[in-house]
Amino acid sequence: MDKSQNIFEKACRLMPGGVSSPVRAYRAVGMTPRFIERAKGSHIYDVDGHDYIDYIGSWGPMLLGHANPEVAEAVCQVVYRGTSYGAPTEGEVTLCEMLIDAMPSVEMVRLVNSGTEAVMSAIRAARGYTGRDYIVKFEGCYHGHSDGLLVKAGSGLMTQNVPDSAGVPEAYASKTLTAVYNDLDSVKALFEACGEQIAALIVEPVAANMGVVLPKPGFLEGLRKITEDYGSILIFDEVITGFRLGYSGAQGHYKVLPDMTAMGKIIGGGMPLAAYGGRKEIMEMVAPSGPVYQAGTLSGNPAAVAAGVKTLEILKAHPEIYTQAEMQAEKLEKAFLENIEKYHVDAVCNRAGSLMSIFFTKQPVTDYPSAASSDLERFKEYFAVMLAEDIYIAPSQFEALFVSGVHSDEDIRKTETAIGKALGQWQA
Ligand SMILES: *Cc1c(COP(=O)(O)O)cnc(C)c1O
């Protein structure tokens, strides 16, 4: 802990909160973040020499585990030929073809650098296409930090109890309407009130930024129907679910096709890369084909593209990676449920494939209010034991636990033991 502590103290003098992204700062758990030196497979190592089993996986991208040798090699090959040209490369075309091939609703794609940019740009395209201003989002869903989307936006914001962000003009936020996840009536009410002015509805098809919350049967289908009825664009934010719930994302899994899709995380294989895509007629609104401006100096960066292409190639050739990740996740879910029962802990576990969350609350978690009913003190105590047992999980109640395709049986056994200790700690 000494080195992490020292570096963090210096970092806090130089960087806001000592970090480059808020949830890394461990504020919700009242601890010092671990500074990371390296990672390999399912393990991550801090500067003090601790060896942790990693269930953050860079917050989603590392489905193949850290430092996959084929991905690393693909990146290195490119780097020696130059890291950025500001000109088109064949790799981008290959990656876009793979994304279109994988995602059932996507016909045309633009590459960007972050999920934030992907969503922000998808919304701009949807507004350009429909000529309307309003968007609808769900309370507790996170879609990156662009101005209009920092309204009731989950995880990082939930963790710090900042319902909205300072610095967002009222005029932007007022164009964002919020509905309740899994509650179609709340959506209908908004569309009945002003459906003709709604450009787009955006949703995480499996919510994973208020902890993992699954869509109820019929919810996504209902959103498809309502948006269609009003001529609004349905946007799936698949930045987490894309290539995670399966190679065809949540849209393939639930067989509901949005008009537009935002992608990120896994598609960059751990490099800064994201994308948005959708129906051709909407995507053709984007510059230089159409009047919706969107650009990027480093967009389609060749090193990031190489990591993305190799990652998707591996996932496509090895569908058993999904089976493996989900099987290991199922074991952890079972360990959670058994220990919840054994120790009479007020907690529930939600899981979608290799994504899951334990919530310290009695009620089923189906939306933001039920997620927010969690006992955060309990979470803190649970987190502290897990970390002491070398289990590296997100330092927040409102994040997912990410299982990779390379978590070994031994990793799982150790984690099961840690879960037993963490959930047993409140016994007299
Ligand atoms: C992570 C995330 C984003 C933002 O992506 P960044 O690359 O962090 O900007 C957007 N939407 C969802 C659903 C996410 O999980």
Side-chain angles (χ1 to χ4, degrees), residues 52-228:
Y52 301 101
I53 302 171
D54 180 19
Y55 292 104
I56 299 182
S58 185
W59 306 88
M62 312 317 298
L63 180 57
L64 297 179
H66 294 281
N68 175 287
E70 288 177 71
V71 175
E73 179 59 25
V75 173
C76 291
Q77 288 298 329
V78 167
V79 165
Y80 286 108
R81 296 202 304 266
T83 48
S84 184
Y85 316 120
T89 59
E90 192 175 2
E92 295 161 73
V93 184
T94 305
L95 180 58
C96 290
E97 189 176 31
M98 294 178 90
L99 296 175
I100 290 165
D101 173 55
M103 289 296 204
S105 73
V106 174
E107 296 172 350
M108 201 174 245
V109 179
R110 168 64 56 87
L111 300 179
V112 293
N113 304 292
S114 69
T116 293
E117 248 187 288
V119 171
M120 178 183 82
S121 311
I123 285 176
R124 189 180 300 146
R127 282 178 165 148
Y129 178 76
T130 57
R132 304 173 180 180
D133 281 350
Y134 283 91
I135 56 169
V136 175
K137 77 177 285 291
F138 292 94
E139 201 182 359
C141 282
Y142 178 67
H143 303 293
H145 62 85
S146 66
D147 282 339
L149 290 164
L150 286 178
V151 179
K152 302 192 175 171
S155 50
L157 296 157
M158 234 165 136
T159 301
Q160 289 169 50
N161 278 320
V162 184
D164 289 322
S165 169
V168 175
E170 174 59 33
Y172 290 13
S174 69
K175 299 291 181 202
T176 306
L177 310 173
T178 56
V180 179
Y181 200 81
N182 275 325
D183 179 356
L184 285 175
D185 287 338
S186 73
V187 179
K188 277 182 202 145
L190 292 175
F191 277 82
E192 276 163 17
C194 57
E196 271 78 32
Q197 297 173 65
I198 295 172
L201 177 146
I202 183 161
V203 65
E204 288 183 77
V206 170
N209 286 287
M210 49 177 151
V212 174
V213 177
L214 278 70
K216 284 183 180 162
F219 177 59
L220 298 174
E221 290 83 351
L223 299 180
R224 178 63 284 181
K225 170 97 179 53
I226 296 168
T227 45
E228 223 158 62

Side-chain angles (χ1 to χ4, degrees), residues 365-379:
V365 174
T366 57
D367 55 18
Y368 173 85
S370 47
S373 74
S374 302
D375 181 340
L376 302 183
E377 277 309 306
R378 276 272 145 123
F379 178 84

